[in-house]
Amino acid sequence: MQKKTTYSFPDEVLEHVCSFIQSDKDRNSVSMVCKSWYEVERWCRRKVFVGNCYAISPRMVIRRFPEIRSIELKGKPHFADFNLVPDGWGGYVLPWIVEMAEAYPWLEEIRLKRMVVTDESLELVAKSFKNLEVLVLFSCEGFSTDGLAAIAGSCKNLRELDLRDSEVDDLSGHWLNHFPETYSSLVSLNISCLGSDEVSFSALECLVGRCPNLRSLLLNREVPLDKISNILRRAPQLVEFGTGIYAAELHPDVFSNLAGAFSSCKELRSLSGFWDAVPAYIPAIYSVCSGLTSLNLSYATIQNPDLTKLVSHCPSLQRLLVLDYIEDNGLEALASSCKGLQELRVFPSDPFGAEPNVSLTERGLVAVSLGCPKLQSVLYFCRQMSNAALVTIAQNRPNLTRFRLCIIDPKMADYQTLKPLDVGFGAIVEHCKDLRRLSLSGLLTDRVFEFIGRYAKKLEMLSLAFAGETDMGLHHVLSGCESLQKLEIMDCPFGDKALLENAAKLETMRSLWMSSCLVSLGACKTLGQKMPRLNVEVIDEKGPPDSRPESHPVAKLYIYRSVAGPRLDMPPFVWTMNEDSV
Amino acid sequence: MEVGLKMGFEETELRLGLPGGGDGGEVVRKRGFSETVDLKLKLSSKHGGSGIDLSEEKKMTGLNKEKNLLLSATDPAKPPAKAQVVGWPPVRSFRKNILAAATQKSGSSDESGGEKAAFLKVSMDGAPYLRKVDLRMYTSYHQLSDALAKMFSSFTIGNCGSQGVKDFMNESKLMDLLNGSDYVPTYEDKDGDWMLVGDVPWEMFVESCKRLRIMKGTEAIGLAPKAVEKCKKRG
């Protein structure tokens, strides 16, 4: 008989080891080794990420992880950014705050994305979490400066307040005054989304002046150019700075003040803001350009040659966000000056114009792909593309991890051959083996999806519009993309067959969005009834889908895995296809 | 059930002489909306003539009418006024608005620069939450009225009620809402005054509108005199 030897060490040791494991994936793996490891891990987990706030209930999270100090929640589907999700859809944070207020009094970090955050929620946060250090509201909405005042007034340990891209009701600029005189721990403040005309400059200057650890300050558009110098002089240690409106009449005094203020900031590595920038004041930042690693000019209306000149001054650039005013020439210059570039985003200056207003084509992107060996992440809006260009990009930049191409006119073919862009995107997925995120555009048949299913094994997020011909397209993606987490589709001729055949796949993904496709109500009901761990939600603003025949395609469909069952806060235009409710 | 703007102002035509022209200048009708613009908010989808016919929708195979128009435009000499497809191109609202401001600045010479966001809140008396519209997506009051009707019709199709409670086709609820009162679209302009929608030419409206409110007709009565005064001020 063999003697069984049990190897074990005290829980404390395992806990200590665990504390070095930060990655969620690894933590999850640890918890699945055995029951005792599961127990140890759950007691020492400090950080939790909930990618879909409806996938699980706050109670369940709290029950499993009683000692959380940091939480990140995401609400609305990504396409909400483009107004495809009607207001009132959901994503309310209040129920989470209510539960966590009781369970996690020592909570230090709250990060929310695309959630509805009310002043009531913020007031509850301020009241309940005395140790709060980080509050990030990324693309959130539903709150006003009153809620911010509550946070400012109560959170004595606040280090980071980041409101990026949120929609805030500006009731008064005086919320800044609610930071007590004794408060000095601010490290990062992003108020770039605020619109109020009444930003209290004196309060801002005072705040900046008494926070010696301030590293990141992103101002809102309303802060005029001539106020920047005062702020910069009070915070020469800034690493990241966002200006307000970067336009004013040229006064030599203002200019030299500004230039001087910038030059005193020896640590500055990232600049943004530059709303309505005028060329006259751009040289004021030249002294810091050589050290800049990140530059966001996507609100700057400057054009060539000033724009290209500026970019050429920044050889250390790793990240550039810019409007298509940079044009192909500017991108070629970028390719030769910024050899360390990792991320490029080119936004359209006139997305709804019928005619191109700038000379930006596939040429610019090809130039950057050839010239910048470290390029990993691309977001590019343009008006023409060719398979040849895409193949060149793919072959030269196999290290791409994010590739989002938006050819502005739907269903544009290869402008040289008039063929679909299947082969070009096929090359991207074939060569870029670590590709995690892909957005397609242009004329695409089912063939591109064959390539994607075959090659895009690491792909986690795929965005489609006006693409494909039959259900086979969707089938290739769902059956082939092993790592797929998020799939969002608009205006593609995909219907019931592929969806129902790959129903099981949907449980392995975070979510699927389909709008203006061909999925019938009947199929949605079938899916909802057969798959209890999926929430199948039909969004229809015209009235109950039941008032139309089962074969009728639904307007919008959002399917996500959930262990919490169908949600209880659906507005009148969202219907669940769950068995009990249908 | 038809809901209309009930105002007897057709007789108060204001004549605006165009700069450089004499009295023979064009009449700009400030109250002529009932001729040029049909501002009836049709809140029931059963009413013919507004909204997309459902059988038509089926034929569209997932693409709506506007997109087909867009894609089939073949005349190269005349670039089509792009009908804007919701969600395409995938540009976030705050980027759209900034660019709109910039192009306005560089484009027309007499527009005041620095436009605020074109995304506006729309509230409807009695509705549980606000909606938002981007006025730049429309080129006429008619389009706007259609869009508003579609947006708020879901509230009156009987889906009103507390969280989670659905009253399908509850006739009495519908009648309660609409009983004796017409719905009137109003807006708050740059000066903070509440005006009736349809008073001014479309472009002027887009410029000055800060938010929209669809109020019960009974509440809107007080707005009329203000609107007339404002027009007098503007000459």
Side-chain angles (χ1 to χ4, degrees), chain A residues 187-189 211-218 232 235-242 262 264-272 288 291-295:
Chain A
V187 173
S188 170
L189 180 66
C211 295
N213 297 323
L214 191 66
R215 289 280 176 272
S216 169
L217 178 64
L218 304 187
L232 285 177
Q237 75 283 5
L238 281 178
V239 174
E240 183 178 17
F241 181 64
F262 271 115
S264 69
C265 299
K266 308 288 183 200
E267 314 288 328
L268 213 46
R269 295 289 170 266
S270 166
L271 280 180
S272 59
V288 297
L292 283 183
T293 55
S294 168
L295 186 55

Side-chain angles (χ1 to χ4, degrees), chain A residues 411 440-442 444 463-467 488-492, chain B residues 88:
Chain A
K411 299 194 183 177
L440 307 180
S441 56
L444 297 162
S463 311
L464 311 174
F466 306 105
E488 47 186 25
I489 304 173
M490 58 177 275
D491 295 85
C492 295
Chain B
W88 192 265

Side-chain angles (χ1 to χ4, degrees), chain A residues 81-84 86-88 138-139 141 165 167 169 197 221-222 275-276 298-299 301 321 323 347-349 351-355 381 383 406-411 441 465-466 490-491 516-518 541-544 548-549 552 568-575, chain B residues 45 52 54 57-58 61-64 67 70-71 76 79-80 82 84-96 98-103 105-106 114-116 119 121 128-132 134 150-151 153-155 157 159-160 163-164 166 168-169 211:
Chain A
D81 285 357
F82 315 125
N83 305 308
L84 283 167
D87 291 335
F138 190 163
S139 297
E141 51 155 355
D165 300 348
E167 242 184 72
D169 248 338
D197 288 310
R221 187 170 182 213
E222 272 60 31
W275 276 281
D276 305 340
S298 62
Y299 306 116
T301 41
L321 279 66
L323 287 173
F347 295 97
S349 53
F352 301 114
E355 301 289 305
F381 282 80
R383 289 176 187 263
C406 179
I407 304 162
I408 288 177
D409 280 338
K411 299 194 183 177
S441 56
F466 306 105
M490 58 177 275
D491 295 85
S516 303
C517 296
L518 300 175
E541 295 172 90
K542 291 205 175 70
R548 276 159 247 139
H552 198 268
L568 302 170
D569 62 358
M570 285 176 291
F573 53 82
V574 177
W575 280 267
Chain B
S45 66
I52 297 177
L54 290 178
E57 217 185 297
K58 260 196 209 166
T61 62
L63 298 172
N64 66 34
K67 292 169 205 167
L70 168 65
L71 298 173
K82 278 220 167 111
Q84 291 181 10
V85 171
V86 178
W88 192 265
V91 177
R92 299 199 54 190
S93 339
F94 56 79
R95 289 195 186 283
K96 274 191 236 172
I98 281 152
L99 300 169
T103 47
K105 238 172 36 178
S106 56
E115 299 300 330
K116 288 277 195 275
F119 261 88
K121 297 194 177 150
Y129 46 79
L130 298 178
R131 304 300 301 270
K132 276 181 235 136
D134 178 2
K150 278 185 209 133
M151 226 182 253
S153 61
S154 59
F155 294 131
I157 289 178
N159 275 336
C160 311
Q163 260 189 345
K166 292 193 208 327
F168 288 103
M169 311 310 286
R211 63 190 292 160

